[in-house]
Amino acid sequence: MLRIPCPWCGPREEIEFRYGGQAHLAYPDNPGSLSDAEWADFLFMRDNPKGVWAERWMHNAGCRRWFNVVRSTVDHRISASYPMGAARPPEGDA
Amino acid sequence: MGSRRMEAGGSGVDREAPLHFTFDGVAYIGLAGDTLASALLGNGVDVVCASPILGRPRGVVSAGVEEAGAFVEVSEPWLDPIVPATAVELVDGMVAVGRPGVGVLPDDAAGASAADHRHLHVETLVVGGGISGLRAAREATGRVLLVDERHWLGGTSPASTAIDAQIAELMGREDTTLMTRATAAGIYDDGYVLVYERSEPIARLWHVRAARVVLATGAHERPIAFADNDRPGVMLASAARIYAERFGVLPGERAVVFSNGPSGLESALALHEAGVVIAAVLDVGPPSRSRVDRLRAAGVDVRTGWAASGTIGDPRLEAVHAVGPGGETEMFEADLLAVAGGWNPAVQLWRGINGGLRYDEATACFLPEGAGPPWLEITGAATGEGIDPVEPYWYTPAEDLSHHYVDLQRDSTVADVLAATGRRLRSTEHVKRETYIGTAIDQGRTSGVLTAAIVNGALGAGPGAQGPTNARPPYTPVPYSVLAGLDRGPRLLDPVRTTPIHSWHVARGAPFENVGQWKRPWYFPAAGEDLNAAVHRECLAVRTGVGIMDASTLGKIAIVGPDASVFLDRLYANRMSTLAVGSIRYGLMLGLDGMVFDDGVVMRLADDRFLVTTTTGGAARVLDHMEEWLQTEWTDLRAYCTSVTEQWSTIAMNGPRARDVLTALGTSFPVDATSFPFMTWRGGEVAGTPVRVARVSFSGELAYEINVPGWYGLSMWEAVMAAGAAHGITPYGTESMHVLRAEKGFVIVGQDTDGTVTPRDLGMSWIVRKDDSDFIGKRSLQRSYIVRPDRKQLVGLLPVEPDQLLPEGAQLVEHDTGVIPMSMVGHVTSSYTSPILGRTFALAMVDAGRARHGQTLYAPLPGGTIAVEVTAPVFYDPEGARRDG
Amino acid sequence: MTEAPDRYWRAAEPKAAYDVVIVGAGGHGLATAYYLAKNHGITDVCVVEKGWLGGGNMARNTTVIRSNYLWDESAAIYEHSLKLWEGLEEALEFDMQFSQRGVLHLVHDLGSRRSSMRLVNANLLNGIDAEWLDAQQVKEFCPIMNVSPDVRYPVIGGTLQRRGGIARHDKVAWAFATRASELGVDIVEHAEVTGFARGPEGAVTGVETSRGTIRANKVALVAAGHSSVLASMAGLRLPIQSRPLQALVSALYQPVLNCVVMSNAVHVYVSQADKGELVMGAGIDAYNSYAQRGSFHVIEHQMAAAVELFPMFAHARMLRSWGGIVDVSPDASPIIGPTGIPGLFINCGWGTGGFKATPASGWALAETIAMGEASALARPYALERFSTGALIDEHGAAGVAH
């Protein structure tokens, strides 16, 4: 059971949250101008690192806000959580 | 109390509290504080069960969960089909039998241990109540929880006043909780630990969240393998000592001690002091001068450099074969052979959270390595502290290794391990999977390190080249009933969602359909009616009179804000910003992949206020979808979503006489067709109750959906029923609802669609806006595979024989060749008998369906093929003339 | 005890170059190597494995074998696989404890019954055995199941594939490895791929490993769980996410469960191995992970449902739980074939359902490698489908899929 630090509610149990996969994926400005392959890149292709990455969570059973988390997919340690729209903090900041 | 119970002694048993128990049909007496194992030993019961595969007699080999010999089934006062006797706390009236490692499950759940699931937050969790654990608890601050799997604290150390004092001090602390009979079963991320407490009257599965976890789990003594080392009477030396000191039981009267290292010699001294005659100490390890001297001074024959090489006895031990450093042999009469091969730190919980191990040359065992997560510490013997240096000695060499048992529960021997490496298996993981060593209830506590050493040796590598196979939770087996908890049964397994009108449906005798967590009335049978008869009557009532349906389960979301209409425009395939206040529009919601993902009607309540409906099953999904886009992408939009599914009850009146009933109820607004057109809503009062009434129709008939605050749901339903009585108002359920909408060709998302269907596939290109504004799914609709004309398209089917009912899910072919495989062109999504048409009909998704109208297709089925004509997907009132009544 | 062969696969020293290098000695990679040698006479093959052979998902799955998937493309590959399974012990001369004891998918609501009938009918017309059982027939087939209406989600019926069943996963890996090794394939364990050798036009010309560089004309990535890690070394992006998949076994009990039972609605799937342990699978954990473990509540949540479905399991004890790393793909279907990078092939994305496909996955990849382009079995599973939209959506049939 992960313990997810919601930026508004504090650390809560994993079952209170919904997972949102890779963070910082911006919807293309002009989807109509993209080729099918470029559109597929946005729609389907994803990073999937073995290590630290930024991902999204939503506090489903609490404040119901989306936010970002920096977490290792190797040992699950969470090193940062920050609001949606904010930039990922540099390594070493909590 | 038994033939082997000492006359005095036994720090953990109460001689004033005898307990009666039965084992293998024989009645015995034990003492409070006994385990079943100590009570059996105390009564001279040495053979507890047979081995699982070879059927060899086995007895108690340890005093803890590392037990690999003695397995029992307990049937009174609870049922436990298979458990080691050392882990069973003796209680009065216990009935048990020996079992060869395999349990027998009874026919039902009666007698299974129930457990309440509880949660606990602490600053420090200490796992293990031995000396190191008690010290860690004393040094901790804040809320402290200490757990130990045994029914006493102090671990395996001999009892002492010092330990008693420490326990008393801890018990006196307000924020410290001591739990015995509590096993830390597994450690998970961020200090999350599962603790199974065998408390009375009900067990507890604690979900502990600790800021700091200290593992003081100690170490397990390991055996040495030699021929026939599995004979009852052969046990771990430290265990023999525990039986004497804690339980006041002598596991034998005349013992040989086979020792590698000082700890075995200590055990020999302790057994001697307890009154066991020590026939010989076979000290194969480098000599510990002082202890050897003390033993010899006590008259014990200590043989330096000697090893046990075999045993004799049937079934229990009668003599021990020994071999000296020069190959000389001797036999010693004994009924107890206490073996001390060294110690293995108990690192299972550490490894379960990916903790590493390293081999320590000095102590010839595997120690925890690496820092582990920052909240996890290990202390005491589990780190190797206090473990004496030893030379590794794994098994007594011999020509024939086929009776040198490594894993008693798998009847696997040294020969089996060497056979596996001989077949070129090189990894301890492969050897485990070939021999099954380490896979039984003891999970390799006495066999894992030994096996790794044998494998390493066979490969010519050092004893630590590969470690034992991985350890995983649970630490010891946990009953499924305990894991299941108490949230079970028809009401607690999953929440049951009912509408405010539910009690009326129940009283009317309606059977219910599960739609997700909701209970929806399926049909309302009159006396003697089955499903078909009820549906026939209900549908005809709707088409010719008036029906009433509880539509409260449909999702309802209020969207409010200056940008509400912009927001909705982006979410739906059709525009909502052009919807007039007071009007209603049907919308299709697509996923980013262009596939239909939900549908419903949108009511405009004001410039900045909409009420969106969703399918019953899609409500949460749609709300989440909305919030995700608002919060992660369209953060500039001022639109706010609120789920109001529970807040509103919806009573749908469908049928040509619906207006008559509405009039009879009394409304605060006019209800004639001109004043209250189709796809508009009116707010005001009906029957004196505040309402919002919408003219939407899922049946194609004149229809009014009366939305009232949930508190009024039942009273409004009853008022409608009363007002409608004179008009023959007929309640109908989900089955009839399905028939009626299908007659009109209205799709049900999730039934006629399956996540791979676009608006155009449904013949609903008309709903997709033509301007160049973006909406979710737009780009995906333009992909090359998605614009193909031969995709599956929604069609109607009329069976050539009008009374043949197609099964939903039937597949369709162009030619019924009768030869498998047959190439399929589509499938039936909805199929019913239509009371108003007096025949069967269906909806289907068929390749290039719209080009096939008039064509005949076939549904080959196990009971025979049904021929069907492809039609447009609307069967009744295609012009929509009935909707105004 | 089952009889083992005299000797298992050779521990080969890697040569400097091969015709084909397969990355990953799991079930699919080993099957690929075997069929390259057996079907195509291509024996100059090296399988490199970063850990111990078969130590990834092959070592830790719940061993369900069935072919009842919905779409024609899926029917083709999974049924081909099942037919291979039926002759595999004989073909490989290896006892794998393959048991066609039947796979029962339970249905608890009308919507699922509809989609189950669609599946059964599609199976039958594709020549795959499938039948619908009502609740009473389910009870007759699996007597220990509780089909009472007095539970939260009563069983209303189920679909049965009688030819489905289980096999002993380790033996399957060792069988393919041993026979491939005998045919000349080199298997090199404890060699981790750290990068690719590249040539003109960005072609992949070999692998860099912890045991040196190995050149190859063709390299195939068959490393479930680490597909993206390897692909990213070649600059290739995939639509794959690595998620934990957990499973557990009980202590040993006398035989009580005669078939494999799966229930998407209550998230239970269970079988009983020959030795006597109940083998139970859980759903995928929500988050990306390479830790080979998941959160306990995922297992816990299914336990109440499992005990309701099989009341006698209340007395069983959970002995051991573990996790693997599965490739989750957007349509619950695999990705097989060329990657667009010359010389580089991939076989991944099998999600929770890879074990049953082991023989056909290897077969299809082998013929694809031999032909240099996607074979008929593999073609529908091209990476391109994510651009065109030609997805093969098996979420329904895959479900919690195994």
Side-chain angles (χ1 to χ4, degrees):
Chain A
M1 174 84 77
L2 302 180
R3 196 168 59 142
I4 317 273
C6 172
W8 294 273
C9 305
R12 303 291 302 179
E13 306 289 290
E14 180 195 331
I15 50 172
E16 293 187 12
F17 297 85
R18 231 191 86 199
Y19 189 58
Q22 184 176 353
H24 303 298
L25 290 171
Y27 187 74
D29 284 329
N30 190 357
S33 69
L34 300 179
S35 67
D36 280 355
E38 289 165 338
W39 177 246
D41 204 69
F42 162 72
L43 193 55
F44 292 122
M45 303 307 156
R46 291 290 180 268
D47 294 341
N48 186 22
K50 185 175 184 178
V52 174
W53 83 324
E55 59 187 17
R56 309 181 312 153
W57 289 87
M58 189 266 280
H59 195 184
N60 197 29
C63 63
R64 289 185 59 80
R65 281 171 151 115
W66 280 94
F67 56 97
N68 297 314
V69 164
V70 178
R71 184 181 61 89
S72 162
T73 61
V74 172
D75 63 14
H76 301 171
R77 277 186 233 182
I78 291 174
S79 53
S81 69
Y82 52 106
M84 194 55 60
R88 175 174 167 174
E91 295 299 305
D93 282 13
Chain B
M1 288 175 300
S3 54
R4 297 253 200 72
R5 189 77 64 174
M6 294 153 62
E7 294 206 353
S11 61
V13 291
D14 182 355
R15 288 166 186 276
E16 307 303 314
L19 303 175
H20 295 82
F21 71 101
T22 304
F23 182 74
D24 276 350
V26 179
Y28 299 101
I29 294 181
L31 297 174
D34 265 332
T35 62
L36 181 57
S38 63
L40 287 172
L41 286 171
N43 281 279
V45 177
D46 298 310
V47 179
V48 174
C49 63
S51 74
I53 292 143
L54 299 176
R56 291 166 69 92
R58 294 283 163 76
V60 175
V61 304
S62 77
V65 297
E66 65 272 36
E67 180 63 25
F71 284 82
V72 302
E73 170 196 284
V74 174
S75 55
E76 293 288 346
W78 61 78
L79 176 61
D80 204 338
I82 187 79
V83 62
T86 52
V88 178
E89 191 178 346
L90 189 71
V91 297
D92 200 44
M94 177 165 279
V95 176
V97 297
R99 289 217 56 85
V102 178
V104 177
L105 292 173
D107 289 335
D108 57 32
S113 322
D116 202 2
H117 287 194
R118 301 279 299 274
H119 293 79
L120 200 57
H121 287 78
V122 295
E123 274 63 52
T124 304
L125 168 65
V126 179
V127 179
I131 291 186
S132 303
L134 293 171
R135 179 179 69 226
R138 282 191 352 265
E139 290 168 1
T141 55
R143 295 163 298 181
V144 178
L145 171 65
L146 181 147
V147 299
D148 195 294
E149 62 189 345
R150 298 184 177 88
H151 58 266
W152 68 88
L153 291 175
T156 51
S157 304
S160 71
T161 49
I163 292 181
D164 289 344
Q166 288 170 28
I167 295 169
E169 199 251 306
L170 284 169
M171 285 176 67
R173 293 191 187 184
E174 205 180 307
D175 273 347
T176 297
T177 305
L178 306 177
M179 262 187 216
T180 55
R181 303 170 178 83
T183 305
I187 298 186
Y188 302 87
D189 293 295
D190 239 331
Y192 194 79
V193 182
L194 222 57
V195 175
Y196 169 35
E197 184 194 7
R198 295 175 297 291
S199 43
E200 291 291 328
I202 189 171
R204 295 190 185 103
L205 188 64
W206 293 98
H207 301 66
V208 181
R209 183 69 83 176
R212 190 174 151 248
V213 178
V214 180
L215 297 180
T217 43
H220 294 122
E221 189 166 45
R222 62 179 180 232
I224 302 171
F226 48 90
D228 298 317
N229 59 329
D230 66 323
R231 204 176 298 281
V234 180
M235 70 169 62
L236 293 166
S238 60
R241 178 180 182 175
I242 289 172
Y243 285 117
E245 289 172 349
R246 169 159 290 276
F247 298 100
V249 163
L250 296 184
E253 286 165 20
R254 186 180 170 83
V256 169
V257 178
F258 179 20
S259 171
N260 179 27
S263 137
L265 302 179
E266 289 288 346
S267 295
L269 281 164
L271 287 172
H272 172 78
E273 248 139 72
V276 177
V277 172
I278 310 291
V281 172
L282 309 174
D283 183 15
V284 75
S288 159
R289 193 80 261 154
S290 61
R291 293 174 181 90
V292 168
D293 288 345
R294 279 159 62 203
L295 280 164
R296 285 186 174 138
V300 173
D301 180 2
V302 179
R303 303 291 185 97
T304 306
W306 280 70
S309 59
T311 65
I312 296 173
D314 182 21
R316 64 144 310 124
L317 182 71
E318 287 165 31
V320 176
H321 285 302
V323 60
E328 59 276 43
T329 64
E330 193 166 333
M331 193 181 78
F332 298 93
E333 280 186 14
D335 63 355
L336 170 64
L337 173 46
V339 182
W343 291 85
N344 296 327
V347 291
Q348 289 81 2
L349 288 170
W350 165 258
R351 298 188 75 193
I353 191 107
N354 299 121
L357 293 183
R358 69 168 181 87
Y359 182 72
D360 182 59
E361 298 276 348
T363 51
C365 70
F366 290 87
L367 304 182
E369 164 175 65
W375 43 267
L376 185 62
E377 299 158 38
I378 312 189
T379 186
T383 66
E385 181 188 306
I387 295 181
D388 296 305
V390 286
E391 289 293 316
Y393 191 91
W394 309 109
Y395 62 90
T396 305
E399 293 251 339
D400 177 5
L401 298 170
S402 64
H403 294 279
H404 286 47
Y405 288 90
V406 172
D407 186 336
L408 270 62
Q409 273 297 289
R410 292 288 176 248
D411 282 330
S412 296
T413 65
V414 174
D416 292 327
V417 177
L418 293 173
T421 56
R423 285 193 281 274
R424 294 207 289 224
L425 295 177
R426 286 167 289 277
S427 164
T428 51
E429 292 284 353
H430 289 147
V431 170
K432 165 190 167 183
R433 286 143 192 279
E434 168 95 329
T435 63
Y436 297 132
I437 288 174
T439 62
I441 286 178
D442 59 293
Q443 289 288 288
R445 283 175 176 83
T446 53
S447 58
V449 170
L450 176 52
T451 303
I454 297 168
V455 171
N456 292 332
L459 299 179
Q466 289 181 76
T469 57
N470 201 9
R472 290 281 205 171
Y475 181 72
T476 49
V478 180
Y480 285 2
S481 59
V482 166
L483 298 172
L486 300 180
D487 285 344
R488 291 150 64 175
R491 304 212 61 79
L492 295 180
L493 181 76
D494 201 21
V496 176
R497 295 179 81 178
T498 57
T499 75
I501 309 164
H502 186 77
S503 58
W504 194 94
H505 306 319
V506 172
R508 192 74 165 209
F512 290 88
E513 183 193 350
N514 282 325
V515 182
Q517 292 172 326
W518 292 97
K519 297 278 185 192
R520 299 198 70 182
W522 192 10
Y523 56 100
F524 290 88
E529 279 185 338
D530 65 1
L531 167 68
N532 291 332
V535 168
H536 183 92
R537 176 180 52 76
E538 291 173 8
C539 288
L540 283 178
V542 170
R543 292 267 180 243
T544 64
V546 57
I548 176 176
M549 196 192 80
D550 181 359
S552 305
T553 64
L554 264 70
K556 297 175 273 293
I557 303 171
I559 318 280
V560 176
D563 298 321
S565 60
V566 171
F567 175 56
L568 290 177
D569 271 358
R570 297 182 188 177
L571 282 177
Y572 285 95
N574 48 328
R575 278 192 175 276
M576 292 301 169
S577 56
T578 53
L579 184 62
V581 175
S583 287
I584 304 172
R585 180 169 296 166
Y586 172 77
L588 263 191
M589 203 176 274
L590 313 184
L592 263 179
D593 61 356
M595 304 302 158
V596 173
F597 128 78
D598 207 81
D599 70 347
V601 297
V602 176
M603 297 165 60
R604 191 161 199 166
L605 308 181
D607 272 346
D608 62 346
R609 190 172 287 259
F610 293 80
L611 186 70
V612 164
T613 69
T614 75
T615 60
T616 294
R621 204 167 45 234
V622 170
L623 180 63
D624 281 358
H625 173 74
M626 290 176 167
E627 284 293 343
E628 185 177 352
W629 281 91
L630 280 173
Q631 293 185 36
T632 67
E633 202 54 56
W634 304 328
T635 54
D636 55 319
L637 290 187
R638 296 154 300 166
Y640 308 96
C641 307
T642 308
S643 165
V644 291
T645 302
E646 314 274 337
Q647 276 65 26
W648 290 98
S649 241
T650 305
I651 296 159
M653 279 198 299
N654 278 246
R657 305 184 79 171
R659 189 179 289 115
D660 299 337
V661 178
L662 194 56
T663 305
L665 280 162
T667 63
S668 63
F669 46 86
V671 299
D672 59 277
T674 315
S675 306
F676 191 174
F678 182 60
M679 295 302 269
T680 66
W681 64 271
R682 294 287 174 266
E685 286 185 357
V686 167
T689 307
V691 299
R692 202 177 278 143
V693 180
R695 270 200 66 191
V696 290
S697 177
F698 204 36
S699 65
E701 300 299 324
L702 173 66
Y704 297 89
E705 291 195 347
I706 303 173
N707 293 283
V708 287
W711 307 112
Y712 298 108
L714 181 57
S715 61
M716 178 59 74
W717 177 278
E718 289 169 333
V720 175
M721 282 298 301
H727 302 276
I729 193 163
T730 301
Y732 65 101
T734 53
E735 191 70 23
S736 294
M737 177 196 74
H738 277 230
V739 176
L740 293 163
R741 61 91 201 174
E743 287 169 343
K744 292 290 296 174
F746 299 151
V747 300
I748 288 191
V749 173
Q751 176 169 336
D752 302 296
T753 72
D754 62 3
T756 70
V757 174
T758 67
R760 192 214 227 176
D761 296 338
L762 291 176
M764 293 177 70
S765 291
W766 56 266
I767 211 173
V768 181
R769 74 189 74 165
K770 305 297 178 287
D771 61 46
D772 60 9
S773 59
D774 196 17
F775 58 90
I776 295 175
K778 177 172 179 171
R779 176 60 186 83
S780 289
L781 290 177
Q782 295 153 4
R783 293 176 295 169
S784 62
Y785 198 76
I786 308 301
V787 298
R788 290 170 61 137
D790 58 347
R791 286 175 60 84
K792 287 199 185 339
Q793 295 164 353
L794 183 70
V795 295
L797 299 177
L798 289 175
V800 170
E801 299 294 325
D803 58 352
Q804 276 193 311
L805 181 67
L806 281 164
E808 287 170 342
Q811 295 280 347
L812 300 160
V813 301
E814 283 176 328
H815 311 286
D816 179 24
T817 62
V819 175
I820 301 294
M822 263 189 256
S823 186
M824 289 165 267
V825 297
H827 73 283
V828 175
T829 60
S830 299
S831 173
Y832 310 99
T833 301
S834 165
I836 199 70
L837 299 174
R839 57 153 305 133
T840 59
F841 72 101
L843 294 172
M845 293 297 291
V846 173
D847 292 344
R850 286 194 286 276
R852 293 183 191 262
H853 291 186
Q855 204 178 96
T856 302
L857 295 176
Y858 303 89
L861 293 156
T865 298
I866 296 179
V868 297
E869 181 197 343
V870 180
T871 70
V874 59
F875 306 90
Y876 181 70
D877 182 33
E879 314 81 33
R882 294 188 63 79
R883 70 179 189 213
D884 274 331
Chain C
M1 298 271 194
T2 59
E3 282 206 42
D6 286 343
R7 290 190 307 175
Y8 291 108
W9 66 96
R10 287 170 296 120
E13 276 304 312
K15 301 187 307 193
Y18 292 86
D19 189 12
V20 181
V21 165
I22 295 169
V23 180
H28 290 208
L30 292 168
T32 303
Y34 172 76
Y35 288 119
L36 273 171
K38 184 79 177 165
N39 291 353
H40 305 281
I42 298 175
T43 58
D44 189 21
V45 176
C46 183
V47 184
V48 291
E49 165 57 50
K50 76 169 162 60
W52 41 280
L53 184 139
N57 292 347
M58 193 62 174
R60 59 199 69 232
N61 64 79
T62 52
T63 78
V64 178
I65 296 172
R66 58 187 179 88
S67 62
N68 48 0
Y69 282 70
L70 179 63
W71 299 106
D72 290 347
E73 301 87 342
S74 317
I77 198 165
Y78 287 105
E79 176 60 18
H80 182 65
S81 201
L82 183 50
K83 290 196 165 76
L84 287 172
W85 277 113
E86 287 171 325
L88 204 60
E89 286 181 315
E90 195 179 339
L92 298 179
E93 287 175 79
F94 212 107
D95 178 3
M96 298 173 211
Q97 294 160 250
F98 175 58
S99 163
Q100 289 178 286
R101 56 188 58 185
V103 176
L104 188 54
H105 264 98
L106 300 179
V107 166
H108 303 261
D109 65 272
L110 298 178
S112 300
R113 183 168 73 182
R114 236 172 253 126
S115 33
S116 296
M117 292 315 303
R118 177 184 176 187
L119 182 63
V120 166
N121 289 314
N123 288 157
L124 291 174
L125 292 178
N126 269 325
I128 296 172
D129 62 312
E131 50 198 281
W132 167 260
L133 305 181
D134 62 31
Q136 195 43 47
Q137 291 167 321
V138 165
K139 177 77 174 173
E140 281 160 16
F141 187 78
C142 185
I144 65 166
M145 190 182 305
N146 176 14
V147 298
S148 149
D150 299 326
V151 298
R152 182 64 180 90
Y153 295 117
V155 173
I156 64 177
T159 65
L160 172 63
Q161 180 174 28
R162 291 183 192 265
R163 288 165 58 237
I166 57 176
R168 178 111 194 118
H169 48 319
D170 297 312
K171 300 286 160 73
V172 177
W174 299 353
F176 277 118
T178 299
R179 300 309 174 214
S181 171
E182 284 167 3
L183 289 171
V185 170
D186 279 357
I187 296 173
V188 178
E189 293 168 79
H190 308 293
E192 179 169 0
V193 169
T194 54
F196 295 99
R198 308 299 287 264
E201 275 133 44
V204 164
T205 57
V207 291
E208 274 141 26
T209 80
S210 52
R211 286 175 69 173
T213 302
I214 305 172
R215 283 175 290 115
N217 296 324
K218 293 169 184 168
V219 175
L221 306 180
V222 196
H226 284 73
S227 306
S228 303
V229 173
L230 289 164
S232 64
M233 292 176 194
L236 178 69
R237 277 192 101 205
L238 297 173
I240 299 291
Q241 299 281 269
S242 295
R243 294 278 161 88
L245 181 64
Q246 299 181 71
L248 58 139
V249 288
S250 70
L252 304 187
Y253 300 99
Q254 301 280 13
V256 291
L257 181 58
N258 57 337
C259 61
V260 182
V261 177
M262 303 176 61
S263 169
N264 296 355
V266 295
H267 304 298
V268 171
Y269 62 98
V270 60
S271 64
Q272 188 170 20
D274 287 350
K275 216 152 79 270
E277 66 269 34
L278 298 168
V279 181
M280 212 178 259
I284 304 182
D285 278 80
Y287 48 85
N288 287 23
S289 167
Y290 289 81
Q292 288 184 320
R293 59 183 177 81
S295 294
F296 188 70
H297 64 271
V298 172
I299 288 177
E300 201 172 7
H301 281 175
Q302 69 159 190
M303 277 305 175
V307 169
E308 294 231 313
L309 209 49
F310 298 103
M312 64 169 60
F313 287 5
H315 303 281
R317 283 192 182 236
M318 170 174 150
L319 177 65
R320 189 177 176 94
S321 62
W322 62 87
I325 315 166
V326 295
D327 285 356
V328 174
S329 83
D331 56 358
S333 288
I335 302 171
I336 313 172
T339 57
I341 297 173
L344 188 65
F345 297 79
I346 194 158
N347 184 348
C348 68
W350 291 91
T352 60
F355 179 72
K356 70 178 75 69
T358 300
S361 168
W363 181 289
L365 185 61
E367 59 189 5
T368 295
I369 290 171
M371 288 163 50
E373 60 181 20
S375 69
L377 277 178
R379 212 169 299 130
Y381 296 105
L383 189 53
E384 280 69 45
R385 72 180 187 273
F386 296 102
S387 297
T388 63
L391 272 60
I392 303 171
D393 192 326
E394 288 286 356
H395 281 103
V400 193
H402 303 90

